[in-house]
Amino acid sequence: MAAATSGVVRALHRIRRTAARGAALRTAAVREARATLAAVRAAPRRTKRNEAALCLAALAAGLLPLLYVHPHWPVPAVAEACWAALLLPARRRWPAGAVLGIAPLLNGGNMWTIAVMPLVVLLATRRINPPGRAWAAVLATSVLAMALATLVFLFTSRGPFESFGGTALDSVLMLFLPALSGTLLGQRRPLVRLLRERNAYLEQTRVLTAATARMEERARIAGEMHDMLGHRLSLISVHAGALELAAARQAPPLAGQAELLRTTAGTAMEELREILDVLRREEIALAPSPPTPDEAEREPEAVRGTRSDLTTLVSESRRAGVPAELVWTGPDSDVLNPRVRQALHRVVREGLTNVHKHAAGAPTRVEVAHAGHRVEVSVTNGEPPGTGRPMAGNRSGLAGLEERITLIGGSFTAGPVGRAGFRMAAGLPCHDGTGAAVTPVPAVPPALTASAVPAAPDPASVPVASAPYSPSYPPPYPPSDPPDLSAQALTWPRLLGGGCAAILVILPTVAGIAVVLLAQVIR
């Protein structure tokens, strides 16, 4: 009684486990069907059209010849044609399963599906990655085909040569050769994609490099125009104003011409500001890179910034009506780097120009002092006399000057001082005669010495859009590229060789299909 009860219990457990497995299989099948429907709906319309046309063509190739050449078993022949047509769209979602689905067709009686089998294998093995999985599926398919050939030999009237020899020959022509061609094309696909991405990357790099160079040149032209023309036009405007006042007292008939000269100089200044705004309009999007060490040596103003040069600037301002004085402490600046001397000259000239425009006649003090490894320069003006209306400004000169000084590792400050004065000061690092920078003193803010001066880029990491590709100079990879593809593997001979090898491998299959179909038609 106990043994019977335990047997019944074990039987109930087996039934329950079988029911649970069946429910899990049904759930998995429903889930897979829903995922397949969602993938079909999400596919592009062009893909749906192409797949539908391919299925219809495969179905027609397997069914239409049956109307003229009647098979011995029509129902299995129709089923084979439909199965071959279904394997074509299935190779997108289940490529390994599509390869395994070829096994029944290798032993089938519908010879007209022979044109569909290599196409399914070729398209499916292209999608299987890595290639080892594709060859595992091909090996499993061949073993399954041989097992089916054994069943056909045992339960039908086919002979051993027709069953096993034909299956082996079909496996080579319809399975192994198309799989070899598909794996070659599958390995070629990422190389082609990588080549296209690299070409797009290099083209974008070329465009950005050209745009950066263009903006750097525009910014340099704008700075030169502001520093050179702005200073001269300010002096002309100041002298024209003084001439107008003198003409009004001593030669009234010439007062109109003097006023025209002053207004023309003012109009020229306004037009110059408009041109500078146009040139600097895109500076925010592309910041200029620091000039090369020998750039200043090529400029005509590289010899400026010495004590005699600054003395000349102060004397010109004094002749224009500005009581300016120069206070120099330390040795002359002729031993400094040309870029530092040029920056020193620009600071003094910009300061004196601003005094002429905004505080005409104000007492001005220009100070230059060598303090350790730095050169401190400042231009300070007091309250201007009288109630003259200062000229309008947009601080573009101060912004350009701060940028120039920051690029060489210096510091710059500008702002009001006292009751109605203004002070502009800069700290410039000293350089030796070869242009090598000396370590600045700790008083310099870290933001101006570490982050403001970009580090020299590694030549191997700089993208050169115009340089031809060679294994000794590989261009940089985009971040999304696969790490296992080296630059040496991405060559046109390898790409073309992969495609040509795939075509050569598939030629015996095409020839075998033509011979078999021709034999069927003749018979």
Side-chain angles (χ1 to χ4, degrees), residues 48-97:
K48 296 178 183 178
R49 271 199 314 267
N50 294 341
E51 292 298 323
L54 197 59
C55 288
L56 291 177
L59 194 61
L63 292 179
L64 292 181
L66 300 180
L67 300 177
Y68 302 96
V69 181
H70 300 286
H72 297 287
W73 305 93
V75 175
V78 173
E80 290 176 17
C82 296
W83 178 251
L86 290 177
L87 289 178
L88 281 171
R91 102 292 179 175
R92 285 185 170 270
R93 187 168 179 84
W94 308 285

mmCIF file of all heavy atoms in Angstrom, residues 48-97:
data_model
loop_
_atom_site.group_PDB
_atom_site.id
_atom_site.type_symbol
_atom_site.label_atom_id
_atom_site.label_comp_id
_atom_site.label_asym_id
_atom_site.label_seq_id
_atom_site.Cartn_x
_atom_site.Cartn_y
_atom_site.Cartn_z
ATOM 1 N N LYS A 48 11.203 46.250 -44.577
ATOM 2 C CA LYS A 48 10.038 45.374 -44.713
ATOM 3 C C LYS A 48 9.758 45.055 -46.170
ATOM 4 O O LYS A 48 9.463 43.903 -46.529
ATOM 5 C CB LYS A 48 8.815 46.044 -44.082
ATOM 6 C CG LYS A 48 8.913 46.260 -42.579
ATOM 7 C CD LYS A 48 7.682 46.975 -42.065
ATOM 8 C CE LYS A 48 7.800 47.271 -40.580
ATOM 9 N NZ LYS A 48 6.626 48.016 -40.070
ATOM 10 N N ARG A 49 9.863 46.051 -47.034
ATOM 11 C CA ARG A 49 9.637 45.819 -48.470
ATOM 12 C C ARG A 49 10.659 44.841 -49.032
ATOM 13 O O ARG A 49 10.312 43.919 -49.770
ATOM 14 C CB ARG A 49 9.684 47.150 -49.232
ATOM 15 C CG ARG A 49 8.365 47.863 -49.346
ATOM 16 C CD ARG A 49 8.406 48.896 -50.481
ATOM 17 N NE ARG A 49 9.611 49.692 -50.456
ATOM 18 C CZ ARG A 49 9.736 50.869 -49.852
ATOM 19 N NH1 ARG A 49 8.717 51.364 -49.168
ATOM 20 N NH2 ARG A 49 10.865 51.540 -49.899
ATOM 21 N N ASN A 50 11.916 45.065 -48.694
ATOM 22 C CA ASN A 50 12.962 44.191 -49.231
ATOM 23 C C ASN A 50 12.804 42.752 -48.748
ATOM 24 O O ASN A 50 12.965 41.798 -49.529
ATOM 25 C CB ASN A 50 14.335 44.734 -48.837
ATOM 26 C CG ASN A 50 14.634 46.073 -49.477
ATOM 27 O OD1 ASN A 50 14.008 46.453 -50.472
ATOM 28 N ND2 ASN A 50 15.575 46.811 -48.906
ATOM 29 N N GLU A 51 12.500 42.582 -47.463
ATOM 30 C CA GLU A 51 12.337 41.228 -46.942
ATOM 31 C C GLU A 51 11.123 40.536 -47.560
ATOM 32 O O GLU A 51 11.163 39.338 -47.861
ATOM 33 C CB GLU A 51 12.206 41.270 -45.417
ATOM 34 C CG GLU A 51 13.479 41.686 -44.701
ATOM 35 C CD GLU A 51 14.607 40.722 -44.959
ATOM 36 O OE1 GLU A 51 14.356 39.503 -45.042
ATOM 37 O OE2 GLU A 51 15.765 41.176 -45.098
ATOM 38 N N ALA A 52 10.034 41.280 -47.720
ATOM 39 C CA ALA A 52 8.845 40.685 -48.343
ATOM 40 C C ALA A 52 9.128 40.271 -49.786
ATOM 41 O O ALA A 52 8.728 39.174 -50.235
ATOM 42 C CB ALA A 52 7.678 41.668 -48.293
ATOM 43 N N ALA A 53 9.832 41.124 -50.517
ATOM 44 C CA ALA A 53 10.170 40.786 -51.903
ATOM 45 C C ALA A 53 11.095 39.572 -51.964
ATOM 46 O O ALA A 53 10.937 38.691 -52.828
ATOM 47 C CB ALA A 53 10.825 41.985 -52.584
ATOM 48 N N LEU A 54 12.051 39.477 -51.019
ATOM 49 C CA LEU A 54 12.967 38.343 -50.999
ATOM 50 C C LEU A 54 12.231 37.047 -50.677
ATOM 51 O O LEU A 54 12.483 35.996 -51.295
ATOM 52 C CB LEU A 54 14.070 38.606 -49.967
ATOM 53 C CG LEU A 54 15.334 37.747 -50.056
ATOM 54 C CD1 LEU A 54 16.008 37.910 -51.414
ATOM 55 C CD2 LEU A 54 16.297 38.126 -48.936
ATOM 56 N N CYS A 55 11.299 37.113 -49.734
ATOM 57 C CA CYS A 55 10.519 35.908 -49.394
ATOM 58 C C CYS A 55 9.654 35.450 -50.567
ATOM 59 O O CYS A 55 9.562 34.245 -50.863
ATOM 60 C CB CYS A 55 9.642 36.191 -48.175
ATOM 61 S SG CYS A 55 10.559 36.321 -46.642
ATOM 62 N N LEU A 56 9.018 36.400 -51.209
ATOM 63 C CA LEU A 56 8.180 36.035 -52.357
ATOM 64 C C LEU A 56 9.013 35.441 -53.479
ATOM 65 O O LEU A 56 8.589 34.475 -54.149
ATOM 66 C CB LEU A 56 7.414 37.256 -52.845
ATOM 67 C CG LEU A 56 6.314 37.791 -51.903
ATOM 68 C CD1 LEU A 56 5.686 39.046 -52.480
ATOM 69 C CD2 LEU A 56 5.262 36.717 -51.664
ATOM 70 N N ALA A 57 10.209 35.997 -53.705
ATOM 71 C CA ALA A 57 11.077 35.445 -54.754
ATOM 72 C C ALA A 57 11.510 34.024 -54.408
ATOM 73 O O ALA A 57 11.530 33.132 -55.272
ATOM 74 C CB ALA A 57 12.297 36.356 -54.946
ATOM 75 N N ALA A 58 11.869 33.777 -53.132
ATOM 76 C CA ALA A 58 12.260 32.423 -52.726
ATOM 77 C C ALA A 58 11.094 31.457 -52.828
ATOM 78 O O ALA A 58 11.259 30.301 -53.257
ATOM 79 C CB ALA A 58 12.808 32.465 -51.297
ATOM 80 N N LEU A 59 9.902 31.936 -52.449
ATOM 81 C CA LEU A 59 8.728 31.069 -52.542
ATOM 82 C C LEU A 59 8.404 30.738 -53.996
ATOM 83 O O LEU A 59 8.061 29.595 -54.333
ATOM 84 C CB LEU A 59 7.543 31.755 -51.867
ATOM 85 C CG LEU A 59 6.323 30.894 -51.575
ATOM 86 C CD1 LEU A 59 6.677 29.761 -50.620
ATOM 87 C CD2 LEU A 59 5.199 31.748 -50.987
ATOM 88 N N ALA A 60 8.514 31.726 -54.862
ATOM 89 C CA ALA A 60 8.253 31.482 -56.282
ATOM 90 C C ALA A 60 9.293 30.531 -56.876
ATOM 91 O O ALA A 60 8.967 29.657 -57.700
ATOM 92 C CB ALA A 60 8.257 32.808 -57.042
ATOM 93 N N ALA A 61 10.570 30.683 -56.445
ATOM 94 C CA ALA A 61 11.612 29.795 -56.970
ATOM 95 C C ALA A 61 11.397 28.353 -56.537
ATOM 96 O O ALA A 61 11.771 27.421 -57.254
ATOM 97 C CB ALA A 61 12.987 30.288 -56.508
ATOM 98 N N GLY A 62 10.761 28.133 -55.389
ATOM 99 C CA GLY A 62 10.543 26.764 -54.929
ATOM 100 C C GLY A 62 9.226 26.163 -55.354
ATOM 101 O O GLY A 62 9.094 24.928 -55.372
ATOM 102 N N LEU A 63 8.220 27.006 -55.710
ATOM 103 C CA LEU A 63 6.884 26.482 -56.030
ATOM 104 C C LEU A 63 6.573 26.479 -57.525
ATOM 105 O O LEU A 63 5.948 25.535 -58.027
ATOM 106 C CB LEU A 63 5.820 27.291 -55.296
ATOM 107 C CG LEU A 63 5.796 27.153 -53.762
ATOM 108 C CD1 LEU A 63 4.706 28.025 -53.164
ATOM 109 C CD2 LEU A 63 5.611 25.698 -53.348
ATOM 110 N N LEU A 64 6.952 27.512 -58.232
ATOM 111 C CA LEU A 64 6.566 27.594 -59.644
ATOM 112 C C LEU A 64 7.110 26.439 -60.484
ATOM 113 O O LEU A 64 6.386 25.913 -61.349
ATOM 114 C CB LEU A 64 7.028 28.937 -60.228
ATOM 115 C CG LEU A 64 6.301 30.180 -59.690
ATOM 116 C CD1 LEU A 64 6.820 31.447 -60.356
ATOM 117 C CD2 LEU A 64 4.791 30.040 -59.922
ATOM 118 N N PRO A 65 8.364 25.993 -60.290
ATOM 119 C CA PRO A 65 8.806 24.843 -61.106
ATOM 120 C C PRO A 65 8.018 23.565 -60.839
ATOM 121 O O PRO A 65 8.009 22.662 -61.702
ATOM 122 C CB PRO A 65 10.280 24.677 -60.708
ATOM 123 C CG PRO A 65 10.694 26.010 -60.195
ATOM 124 C CD PRO A 65 9.486 26.563 -59.524
ATOM 125 N N LEU A 66 7.356 23.482 -59.671
ATOM 126 C CA LEU A 66 6.581 22.263 -59.381
ATOM 127 C C LEU A 66 5.360 22.135 -60.277
ATOM 128 O O LEU A 66 4.798 21.037 -60.424
ATOM 129 C CB LEU A 66 6.138 22.259 -57.909
ATOM 130 C CG LEU A 66 7.274 22.289 -56.877
ATOM 131 C CD1 LEU A 66 6.703 22.285 -55.467
ATOM 132 C CD2 LEU A 66 8.208 21.098 -57.072
ATOM 133 N N LEU A 67 4.936 23.235 -60.899
ATOM 134 C CA LEU A 67 3.792 23.166 -61.809
ATOM 135 C C LEU A 67 4.156 22.457 -63.109
ATOM 136 O O LEU A 67 3.280 21.918 -63.798
ATOM 137 C CB LEU A 67 3.278 24.573 -62.111
ATOM 138 C CG LEU A 67 2.793 25.389 -60.890
ATOM 139 C CD1 LEU A 67 2.389 26.785 -61.322
ATOM 140 C CD2 LEU A 67 1.633 24.678 -60.206
ATOM 141 N N TYR A 68 5.434 22.456 -63.468
ATOM 142 C CA TYR A 68 5.859 21.828 -64.719
ATOM 143 C C TYR A 68 6.572 20.499 -64.485
ATOM 144 O O TYR A 68 6.473 19.583 -65.297
ATOM 145 C CB TYR A 68 6.795 22.783 -65.480
ATOM 146 C CG TYR A 68 6.152 24.103 -65.789
ATOM 147 C CD1 TYR A 68 6.345 25.210 -64.971
ATOM 148 C CD2 TYR A 68 5.340 24.242 -66.915
ATOM 149 C CE1 TYR A 68 5.758 26.420 -65.257
ATOM 150 C CE2 TYR A 68 4.744 25.456 -67.204
ATOM 151 C CZ TYR A 68 4.950 26.539 -66.373
ATOM 152 O OH TYR A 68 4.350 27.730 -66.658
ATOM 153 N N VAL A 69 7.302 20.394 -63.356
ATOM 154 C CA VAL A 69 7.999 19.153 -63.013
ATOM 155 C C VAL A 69 7.330 18.626 -61.745
ATOM 156 O O VAL A 69 7.586 19.103 -60.645
ATOM 157 C CB VAL A 69 9.502 19.397 -62.779
ATOM 158 C CG1 VAL A 69 10.202 18.077 -62.450
ATOM 159 C CG2 VAL A 69 10.130 20.049 -64.001
ATOM 160 N N HIS A 70 6.445 17.651 -61.923
ATOM 161 C CA HIS A 70 5.657 17.151 -60.793
ATOM 162 C C HIS A 70 6.530 16.245 -59.923
ATOM 163 O O HIS A 70 7.098 15.259 -60.404
ATOM 164 C CB HIS A 70 4.439 16.367 -61.303
ATOM 165 C CG HIS A 70 3.539 17.201 -62.159
ATOM 166 N ND1 HIS A 70 2.711 18.162 -61.656
ATOM 167 C CD2 HIS A 70 3.347 17.206 -63.510
ATOM 168 C CE1 HIS A 70 2.034 18.737 -62.634
ATOM 169 N NE2 HIS A 70 2.404 18.164 -63.789
ATOM 170 N N PRO A 71 6.655 16.531 -58.618
ATOM 171 C CA PRO A 71 7.473 15.694 -57.730
ATOM 172 C C PRO A 71 6.706 14.442 -57.313
ATOM 173 O O PRO A 71 5.488 14.345 -57.445
ATOM 174 C CB PRO A 71 7.729 16.621 -56.538
ATOM 175 C CG PRO A 71 6.531 17.508 -56.505
ATOM 176 C CD PRO A 71 6.113 17.718 -57.929
ATOM 177 N N HIS A 72 7.451 13.486 -56.768
ATOM 178 C CA HIS A 72 6.816 12.259 -56.278
ATOM 179 C C HIS A 72 6.025 12.529 -55.000
ATOM 180 O O HIS A 72 5.000 11.896 -54.752
ATOM 181 C CB HIS A 72 7.880 11.185 -56.012
ATOM 182 C CG HIS A 72 8.614 10.766 -57.250
ATOM 183 N ND1 HIS A 72 8.029 9.978 -58.225
ATOM 184 C CD2 HIS A 72 9.874 11.023 -57.683
ATOM 185 C CE1 HIS A 72 8.897 9.762 -59.200
ATOM 186 N NE2 HIS A 72 10.035 10.383 -58.894
ATOM 187 N N TRP A 73 6.510 13.438 -54.155
ATOM 188 C CA TRP A 73 5.838 13.791 -52.912
ATOM 189 C C TRP A 73 5.538 15.290 -52.959
ATOM 190 O O TRP A 73 6.351 16.113 -52.543
ATOM 191 C CB TRP A 73 6.725 13.462 -51.705
ATOM 192 C CG TRP A 73 7.178 12.033 -51.677
ATOM 193 C CD1 TRP A 73 8.321 11.514 -52.173
ATOM 194 C CD2 TRP A 73 6.460 10.947 -51.106
ATOM 195 N NE1 TRP A 73 8.403 10.166 -51.968
ATOM 196 C CE2 TRP A 73 7.259 9.782 -51.297
ATOM 197 C CE3 TRP A 73 5.216 10.803 -50.461
ATOM 198 C CZ2 TRP A 73 6.863 8.520 -50.876
ATOM 199 C CZ3 TRP A 73 4.836 9.543 -50.023
ATOM 200 C CH2 TRP A 73 5.644 8.433 -50.224
ATOM 201 N N PRO A 74 4.389 15.697 -53.454
ATOM 202 C CA PRO A 74 4.113 17.139 -53.633
ATOM 203 C C PRO A 74 3.971 17.901 -52.316
ATOM 204 O O PRO A 74 4.399 19.062 -52.215
ATOM 205 C CB PRO A 74 2.807 17.155 -54.427
ATOM 206 C CG PRO A 74 2.202 15.821 -54.199
ATOM 207 C CD PRO A 74 3.310 14.854 -53.975
ATOM 208 N N VAL A 75 3.347 17.281 -51.314
ATOM 209 C CA VAL A 75 3.139 18.013 -50.049
ATOM 210 C C VAL A 75 4.468 18.341 -49.370
ATOM 211 O O VAL A 75 4.709 19.500 -48.976
ATOM 212 C CB VAL A 75 2.207 17.217 -49.118
ATOM 213 C CG1 VAL A 75 2.090 17.910 -47.761
ATOM 214 C CG2 VAL A 75 0.839 17.046 -49.752
ATOM 215 N N PRO A 76 5.406 17.387 -49.192
ATOM 216 C CA PRO A 76 6.711 17.751 -48.630
ATOM 217 C C PRO A 76 7.473 18.760 -49.485
ATOM 218 O O PRO A 76 8.186 19.614 -48.950
ATOM 219 C CB PRO A 76 7.458 16.419 -48.552
ATOM 220 C CG PRO A 76 6.386 15.398 -48.467
ATOM 221 C CD PRO A 76 5.279 15.923 -49.330
ATOM 222 N N ALA A 77 7.310 18.697 -50.814
ATOM 223 C CA ALA A 77 8.009 19.659 -51.682
ATOM 224 C C ALA A 77 7.496 21.075 -51.447
ATOM 225 O O ALA A 77 8.276 22.031 -51.370
ATOM 226 C CB ALA A 77 7.838 19.255 -53.139
ATOM 227 N N VAL A 78 6.170 21.224 -51.311
ATOM 228 C CA VAL A 78 5.602 22.545 -51.026
ATOM 229 C C VAL A 78 6.042 23.017 -49.646
ATOM 230 O O VAL A 78 6.369 24.199 -49.442
ATOM 231 C CB VAL A 78 4.066 22.496 -51.141
ATOM 232 C CG1 VAL A 78 3.464 23.810 -50.669
ATOM 233 C CG2 VAL A 78 3.655 22.194 -52.573
ATOM 234 N N ALA A 79 6.053 22.103 -48.657
ATOM 235 C CA ALA A 79 6.492 22.479 -47.306
ATOM 236 C C ALA A 79 7.950 22.926 -47.299
ATOM 237 O O ALA A 79 8.316 23.886 -46.602
ATOM 238 C CB ALA A 79 6.291 21.300 -46.360
ATOM 239 N N GLU A 80 8.800 22.262 -48.080
ATOM 240 C CA GLU A 80 10.206 22.665 -48.159
ATOM 241 C C GLU A 80 10.352 24.058 -48.765
ATOM 242 O O GLU A 80 11.178 24.865 -48.313
ATOM 243 C CB GLU A 80 10.983 21.648 -48.980
ATOM 244 C CG GLU A 80 11.165 20.296 -48.291
ATOM 245 C CD GLU A 80 11.860 19.302 -49.189
ATOM 246 O OE1 GLU A 80 12.475 19.740 -50.190
ATOM 247 O OE2 GLU A 80 11.791 18.090 -48.908
ATOM 248 N N ALA A 81 9.569 24.351 -49.811
ATOM 249 C CA ALA A 81 9.636 25.682 -50.418
ATOM 250 C C ALA A 81 9.209 26.758 -49.431
ATOM 251 O O ALA A 81 9.846 27.821 -49.321
ATOM 252 C CB ALA A 81 8.782 25.722 -51.680
ATOM 253 N N CYS A 82 8.145 26.503 -48.687
ATOM 254 C CA CYS A 82 7.684 27.482 -47.685
ATOM 255 C C CYS A 82 8.704 27.632 -46.556
ATOM 256 O O CYS A 82 8.950 28.748 -46.067
ATOM 257 C CB CYS A 82 6.335 27.055 -47.130
ATOM 258 S SG CYS A 82 5.004 27.025 -48.355
ATOM 259 N N TRP A 83 9.292 26.517 -46.137
ATOM 260 C CA TRP A 83 10.302 26.571 -45.069
ATOM 261 C C TRP A 83 11.532 27.365 -45.513
ATOM 262 O O TRP A 83 12.067 28.176 -44.748
ATOM 263 C CB TRP A 83 10.695 25.152 -44.693
ATOM 264 C CG TRP A 83 11.755 25.063 -43.642
ATOM 265 C CD1 TRP A 83 13.036 24.682 -43.804
ATOM 266 C CD2 TRP A 83 11.602 25.367 -42.254
ATOM 267 N NE1 TRP A 83 13.722 24.716 -42.627
ATOM 268 C CE2 TRP A 83 12.849 25.129 -41.642
ATOM 269 C CE3 TRP A 83 10.538 25.794 -41.465
ATOM 270 C CZ2 TRP A 83 13.059 25.321 -40.289
ATOM 271 C CZ3 TRP A 83 10.738 25.985 -40.104
ATOM 272 C CH2 TRP A 83 11.988 25.745 -39.529
ATOM 273 N N ALA A 84 11.965 27.178 -46.742
ATOM 274 C CA ALA A 84 13.116 27.940 -47.255
ATOM 275 C C ALA A 84 12.801 29.428 -47.330
ATOM 276 O O ALA A 84 13.649 30.272 -47.038
ATOM 277 C CB ALA A 84 13.528 27.405 -48.621
ATOM 278 N N ALA A 85 11.565 29.770 -47.709
ATOM 279 C CA ALA A 85 11.181 31.181 -47.771
ATOM 280 C C ALA A 85 11.129 31.798 -46.379
ATOM 281 O O ALA A 85 11.442 32.989 -46.205
ATOM 282 C CB ALA A 85 9.831 31.323 -48.474
ATOM 283 N N LEU A 86 10.744 31.022 -45.364
ATOM 284 C CA LEU A 86 10.678 31.555 -44.003
ATOM 285 C C LEU A 86 12.061 31.717 -43.372
ATOM 286 O O LEU A 86 12.236 32.551 -42.473
ATOM 287 C CB LEU A 86 9.821 30.629 -43.125
ATOM 288 C CG LEU A 86 8.321 30.612 -43.421
ATOM 289 C CD1 LEU A 86 7.627 29.594 -42.528
ATOM 290 C CD2 LEU A 86 7.719 31.992 -43.219
ATOM 291 N N LEU A 87 13.018 30.927 -43.815
ATOM 292 C CA LEU A 87 14.358 31.048 -43.250
ATOM 293 C C LEU A 87 15.034 32.371 -43.610
ATOM 294 O O LEU A 87 15.923 32.832 -42.875
ATOM 295 C CB LEU A 87 15.238 29.886 -43.719
ATOM 296 C CG LEU A 87 14.916 28.508 -43.144
ATOM 297 C CD1 LEU A 87 15.850 27.469 -43.736
ATOM 298 C CD2 LEU A 87 15.032 28.517 -41.625
ATOM 299 N N LEU A 88 14.647 32.970 -44.727
ATOM 300 C CA LEU A 88 15.286 34.224 -45.142
ATOM 301 C C LEU A 88 15.033 35.359 -44.149
ATOM 302 O O LEU A 88 15.987 36.009 -43.697
ATOM 303 C CB LEU A 88 14.818 34.607 -46.549
ATOM 304 C CG LEU A 88 15.502 33.837 -47.682
ATOM 305 C CD1 LEU A 88 14.830 34.127 -49.004
ATOM 306 C CD2 LEU A 88 16.974 34.219 -47.742
ATOM 307 N N PRO A 89 13.774 35.667 -43.763
ATOM 308 C CA PRO A 89 13.606 36.715 -42.747
ATOM 309 C C PRO A 89 14.051 36.280 -41.355
ATOM 310 O O PRO A 89 14.416 37.118 -40.521
ATOM 311 C CB PRO A 89 12.099 37.015 -42.789
ATOM 312 C CG PRO A 89 11.474 35.768 -43.293
ATOM 313 C CD PRO A 89 12.464 35.181 -44.250
ATOM 314 N N ALA A 90 14.023 34.952 -41.085
ATOM 315 C CA ALA A 90 14.429 34.484 -39.755
ATOM 316 C C ALA A 90 15.910 34.702 -39.505
ATOM 317 O O ALA A 90 16.343 34.780 -38.347
ATOM 318 C CB ALA A 90 14.084 33.009 -39.604
ATOM 319 N N ARG A 91 16.728 34.806 -40.577
ATOM 320 C CA ARG A 91 18.165 34.938 -40.366
ATOM 321 C C ARG A 91 18.526 36.289 -39.750
ATOM 322 O O ARG A 91 19.620 36.471 -39.219
ATOM 323 C CB ARG A 91 18.895 34.701 -41.675
ATOM 324 C CG ARG A 91 19.452 35.833 -42.511
ATOM 325 C CD ARG A 91 18.552 36.719 -43.150
ATOM 326 N NE ARG A 91 19.048 37.827 -43.945
ATOM 327 C CZ ARG A 91 18.227 38.564 -44.586
ATOM 328 N NH1 ARG A 91 16.923 38.311 -44.549
ATOM 329 N NH2 ARG A 91 18.643 39.606 -45.267
ATOM 330 N N ARG A 92 17.607 37.265 -39.733
ATOM 331 C CA ARG A 92 17.892 38.552 -39.104
ATOM 332 C C ARG A 92 17.867 38.453 -37.582
ATOM 333 O O ARG A 92 18.705 39.039 -36.899
ATOM 334 C CB ARG A 92 16.905 39.614 -39.574
ATOM 335 C CG ARG A 92 17.155 40.112 -40.986
ATOM 336 C CD ARG A 92 16.207 41.245 -41.329
ATOM 337 N NE ARG A 92 16.584 41.878 -42.584
ATOM 338 C CZ ARG A 92 17.415 42.899 -42.692
ATOM 339 N NH1 ARG A 92 17.963 43.413 -41.600
ATOM 340 N NH2 ARG A 92 17.716 43.404 -43.867
ATOM 341 N N ARG A 93 16.878 37.739 -37.047
ATOM 342 C CA ARG A 93 16.719 37.648 -35.591
ATOM 343 C C ARG A 93 17.395 36.402 -35.023
ATOM 344 O O ARG A 93 17.925 36.430 -33.916
ATOM 345 C CB ARG A 93 15.239 37.661 -35.234
ATOM 346 C CG ARG A 93 14.986 37.738 -33.733
ATOM 347 C CD ARG A 93 13.535 38.031 -33.430
ATOM 348 N NE ARG A 93 13.295 38.074 -32.001
ATOM 349 C CZ ARG A 93 13.489 39.141 -31.227
ATOM 350 N NH1 ARG A 93 13.949 40.254 -31.774
ATOM 351 N NH2 ARG A 93 13.242 39.108 -29.938
ATOM 352 N N TRP A 94 17.371 35.317 -35.747
ATOM 353 C CA TRP A 94 17.983 34.062 -35.282
ATOM 354 C C TRP A 94 18.934 33.548 -36.359
ATOM 355 O O TRP A 94 18.609 32.591 -37.087
ATOM 356 C CB TRP A 94 16.914 33.014 -34.990
ATOM 357 C CG TRP A 94 15.832 33.492 -34.070
ATOM 358 C CD1 TRP A 94 15.915 33.671 -32.728
ATOM 359 C CD2 TRP A 94 14.500 33.838 -34.448
ATOM 360 N NE1 TRP A 94 14.725 34.113 -32.229
ATOM 361 C CE2 TRP A 94 13.818 34.228 -33.258
ATOM 362 C CE3 TRP A 94 13.796 33.847 -35.650
ATOM 363 C CZ2 TRP A 94 12.497 34.631 -33.251
ATOM 364 C CZ3 TRP A 94 12.477 34.268 -35.657
ATOM 365 C CH2 TRP A 94 11.850 34.648 -34.456
ATOM 366 N N PRO A 95 20.100 34.139 -36.536
ATOM 367 C CA PRO A 95 20.998 33.685 -37.620
ATOM 368 C C PRO A 95 21.489 32.251 -37.431
ATOM 369 O O PRO A 95 21.547 31.476 -38.386
ATOM 370 C CB PRO A 95 22.158 34.699 -37.570
ATOM 371 C CG PRO A 95 22.088 35.301 -36.209
ATOM 372 C CD PRO A 95 20.656 35.291 -35.804
ATOM 373 N N ALA A 96 21.849 31.886 -36.184
ATOM 374 C CA ALA A 96 22.307 30.511 -35.959
ATOM 375 C C ALA A 96 21.179 29.510 -36.179
ATOM 376 O O ALA A 96 21.380 28.425 -36.752
ATOM 377 C CB ALA A 96 22.863 30.383 -34.539
ATOM 378 N N GLY A 97 19.960 29.857 -35.766
ATOM 379 C CA GLY A 97 18.817 28.983 -36.013
ATOM 380 C C GLY A 97 18.505 28.831 -37.483
ATOM 381 O O GLY A 97 18.086 27.755 -37.943
#
